């Protein structure tokens, strides 16, 4: 039933003030509850809906639709391809397409975007502070812009960006992409200011006041081996050097494991296998070296000859206030001699799902993806079986990212 606007306004003014939630009819969140997203820094609030609050909900929805018509508002199908800039200077991003277009158009700038919901109290508290920060005179000559994206109508998309709580802020460093992602309730405004300072200091050239061309930082790099030797050595001196670190018996054990113990090598014929061994390297890493870093592209497959490494996975659940910049995540496994790592990224062609760090001085046989025969899934030229994919996903703890799975596990546990 649709009430005349005048009656609705009268009823609304006579209704006692209660917590109300404004939803645009027909949106993907029209049937959602505020508990779908939890405002950071606040306990989960249980809403009690009475007949009055329900009526107010319906009235607010009706008025929202009426106002769109009165003000000439457009439907979602008519939304422009690029976001508009509000009077307060914030870019109002309404769709995933606008978000992508906004990022692409500002590859020479630092981009700050706030994720919020109309019904989120913490979001409303953060809004004026966010606008105030965007207008800070100290950013006047810095290549930085500020935007916002509502979860309303964009729930799935926002979740796919790794947003775990509302409000949240993401910071992009031009074409380098996302560099910061953290919940940002009212109590974490100091964190936002600190993050902005850190990003500007590390990404902006103070002389040119433009983004640095080379954005490679040590904390985002992987360790180079302290020693690299060719496995197929022809030089007698180099062969004797390997003899000093690997005994003849150990060489036989290594060769047997590589030929029969590594599932990705089992199906090679002799020419393929020994051809690959001729191109392999024996690399050495010192204790503490980060051999692989989560989120980076993979190009190497490693088989441990001696030593030990730990597998760590970093999730979006860490509190940025208490998490150190060099934190690599929770340890989910430890690998020793005659085990291997690095295969998932080669098989799936996705960024690495975990970081690998040497627990002690570690020697590995290293195989470059370009040297691996096409008959192996490691080459990226052959599709892996469902069973193989499930195996590598479990090995590297990729279900840590599956928020829905984790939530389901908590529900079942309680």
């Amino acid at each position: 039933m649709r009430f005349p606007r005048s009656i609705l306004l009268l009823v609304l003014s006579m209704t006692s003030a209660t917590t109300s939630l404004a939803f645009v009819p027909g949106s993907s969140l029209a049937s959602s509850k505020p508990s779908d997203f939890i405002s950071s820094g606040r306990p989960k609030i249980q809403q009690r809906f009475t007949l009055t609050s329900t009526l107010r909900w319906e009235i607010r929805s009706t008025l929202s639709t009426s106002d769109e018509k009165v003000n000439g508002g457009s439907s979602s199908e008519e939304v422009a391809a690029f976001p508009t800039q509000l009077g307060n200077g914030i870019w109002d991003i309404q769709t995933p397409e606008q978000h992508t277009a906004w990022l692409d158009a500002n590859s020479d700038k630092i981009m700050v975007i706030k994720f919020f919901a109309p019904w989120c109290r913490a979001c409303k508290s953060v809004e004026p502070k966010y606008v105030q920060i965007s207008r800070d005179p100290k950013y006047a000559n810095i290549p930085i812009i500020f935007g916002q994206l509502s979860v309303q109508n964009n729930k799935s998309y926002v979740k796919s960006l790794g947003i775990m709580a509302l409000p949240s802020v993401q910071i992009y460093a031009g074409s380098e992409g996302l560099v910061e992602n953290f919940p940002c309730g009212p109590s974490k405004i100091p964190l936002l200011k600190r993050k902005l300072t850190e990003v500007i200091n590390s990404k902006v050239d103070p002389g040119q006041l433009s983004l640095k061309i080379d954005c490679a930082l040590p904390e985002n790099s992987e360790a180079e081996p302290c020693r690299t030797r060719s496995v197929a050595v022809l030089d007698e001196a180099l062969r004797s050097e390997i003899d000093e670190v690997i005994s003849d018996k150990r060489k036989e054990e290594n060769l047997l494991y590589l030929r029969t113990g590594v599932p990705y090598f089992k199906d090679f014929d002799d020419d393929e296998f020994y051809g690959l061994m001729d191109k392999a390297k024996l690399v050495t890493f010192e204790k503490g070296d980060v051999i692989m870093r989560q989120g980076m592209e993979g190009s190497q497959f490693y088989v441990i000859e001696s030593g030990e490494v730990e597998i760590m996975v970093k999730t979006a659940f860490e509190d940025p206030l208490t998490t150190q910049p060099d934190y690599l995540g929770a340890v989910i496994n430890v690998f020793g001699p005659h085990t291997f790592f690095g295969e998932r990224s080669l098989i799936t062609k996705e960024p690495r799902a975990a970081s690998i760090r040497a627990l002690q001085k570690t020697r590995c046989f290293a195989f470059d993806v370009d040297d691996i025969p096409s008959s192996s899934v490691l080459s990226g030229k052959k599709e892996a079986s469902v069973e193989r994919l499930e195996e590598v996903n479990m090995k590297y703890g990729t279900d840590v990212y599956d928020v829905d799975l984790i939530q389901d596990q908590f529900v079942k546990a309680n």
Side-chain angles (χ1 to χ4, degrees):
M1 176 179 178
R2 184 67 66 184
F3 300 98
R5 179 177 175 82
S6 58
I7 295 178
L8 292 174
L9 289 172
L10 178 61
V11 174
L12 182 59
S13 63
M14 295 173 63
T15 308
S16 58
T18 58
T19 301
S20 61
L21 306 174
F23 288 84
V24 176
S27 72
S28 61
L29 289 184
S31 60
S32 300
K33 298 178 181 178
S35 56
D36 287 342
F37 286 89
I38 303 173
S39 301
S40 59
R42 290 180 178 272
K44 186 174 180 180
I45 302 173
Q46 294 183 351
Q47 302 289 345
R48 296 179 60 191
F49 292 99
T50 65
L51 178 61
T52 300
S53 61
T54 303
L55 178 59
R56 285 174 59 83
W57 186 350
E58 293 173 353
I59 292 173
R60 289 288 298 277
S61 298
T62 302
L63 289 178
S64 176
T65 304
S66 301
D67 287 340
E68 285 184 0
K69 293 179 180 179
V70 170
N71 297 324
S74 60
S75 64
S76 59
E77 289 78 14
E78 298 171 344
V79 172
F82 199 80
T84 56
Q85 192 170 20
L86 302 175
N88 57 17
I90 305 297
W91 288 90
D92 187 32
I93 304 167
Q94 300 181 24
T95 66
E97 293 74 22
Q98 286 190 353
H99 182 232
T100 301
W102 189 70
L103 294 178
D104 291 343
N106 295 286
S107 59
D108 59 341
K109 299 180 180 69
I110 293 173
M111 294 163 281
V112 187
I113 181 168
K114 175 192 68 175
F115 296 86
F116 71 101
W119 38 257
C120 168
R121 291 184 179 180
C123 299
K124 293 177 181 178
S125 298
V126 164
E127 182 177 3
K129 298 179 176 67
Y130 184 70
V131 173
Q132 184 179 19
I133 290 173
S134 71
R135 292 178 170 179
D136 194 318
K138 69 182 178 183
Y139 300 135
N141 298 318
I142 301 295
I144 184 171
I145 58 175
F146 293 79
Q148 63 181 25
L149 174 59
S150 172
V151 68
Q152 192 161 346
N153 299 322
N154 298 299
K155 179 179 177 182
S156 298
Y157 179 66
V158 169
K159 289 178 70 175
S160 74
L161 296 175
I163 301 301
M164 300 296 178
L166 294 178
S168 278
V169 167
Q170 288 187 342
I171 304 176
Y172 294 79
S175 57
E176 184 182 349
L178 182 65
V179 293
E180 294 288 351
N181 179 14
F182 55 96
C184 189
S187 64
K188 293 188 178 179
I189 289 298
L191 171 67
L192 171 57
K193 294 179 179 179
R194 191 183 78 203
K195 291 286 187 184
L196 285 175
T197 300
E198 292 173 353
V199 171
I200 290 171
N201 288 340
S202 63
K203 306 295 182 183
V204 176
D205 186 322
Q208 301 295 327
L209 290 179
S210 60
L211 287 189
K212 296 177 182 178
I213 296 175
D214 183 9
C215 296
L217 298 173
E219 60 265 28
N220 293 327
S221 63
E222 297 175 341
E224 291 291 331
C226 63
R227 193 64 182 270
T228 300
R229 306 177 177 92
S230 174
V231 174
V233 289
L234 300 177
D235 185 275
E236 191 66 34
L238 292 176
R239 187 182 298 114
S240 62
E241 187 177 296
I242 290 184
D243 289 342
E244 292 178 4
V245 296
I246 304 179
S247 66
D248 289 340
K249 180 180 179 182
R250 183 60 177 172
K251 288 179 185 176
E252 293 178 4
E253 294 173 348
N254 290 335
L255 184 61
L256 179 63
Y257 176 73
L258 290 169
R259 190 69 180 100
T260 62
V262 179
Y264 305 104
F265 295 170
K266 283 183 177 180
D267 295 333
F268 288 157
D269 58 34
D270 286 345
D271 289 340
E272 289 177 322
F273 176 75
Y274 289 106
L276 179 60
M277 294 303 110
D278 286 342
K279 298 174 182 176
K281 304 292 183 184
L282 182 65
V283 296
T284 304
F285 295 97
E286 296 291 351
K287 178 181 178 180
D289 281 352
V290 179
I291 304 172
M292 289 185 173
R293 193 175 290 273
Q294 182 177 340
M296 298 188 71
E297 298 299 320
S299 62
Q300 299 279 331
F301 174 64
Y302 294 93
V303 177
I304 301 176
E305 195 282 326
S306 63
E308 206 170 44
V309 301
E310 57 184 350
I311 291 77
M312 291 166 290
V313 176
K314 190 175 182 179
T315 74
F317 296 104
E318 284 85 20
D319 186 345
L321 280 173
T322 58
T323 301
Q324 297 298 316
D326 59 351
Y327 177 68
L328 296 176
V331 177
I332 63 170
N333 213 334
V334 174
F335 295 158
H338 288 181
T339 55
F340 50 84
F341 58 89
E343 73 278 18
R344 186 185 182 278
S345 183
L346 303 187
I347 293 173
T348 64
K349 298 179 181 157
E350 296 175 357
R352 293 184 178 125
S355 295
I356 311 289
R357 183 168 61 191
L359 283 173
Q360 54 186 266
K361 190 169 186 176
T362 301
R363 284 193 297 268
C364 302
F365 294 105
F367 304 90
D368 191 275
V369 64
D370 294 332
D371 296 330
I372 298 174
S374 59
S375 58
S376 171
V377 293
L378 294 182
S379 67
K381 301 172 184 176
K382 182 179 179 181
E383 189 172 347
S385 65
V386 174
E387 292 76 13
R388 179 69 70 192
L389 290 174
E390 290 178 349
E391 178 184 310
V392 296
N393 285 338
M394 182 177 296
K395 177 177 178 179
Y396 294 102
T398 55
D399 61 350
V400 171
Y401 303 104
D402 193 338
V403 179
D404 292 330
L405 174 60
I406 294 173
Q407 183 176 3
D408 181 60
Q409 291 172 342
F410 275 119
V411 170
K412 290 181 178 178
N414 294 320

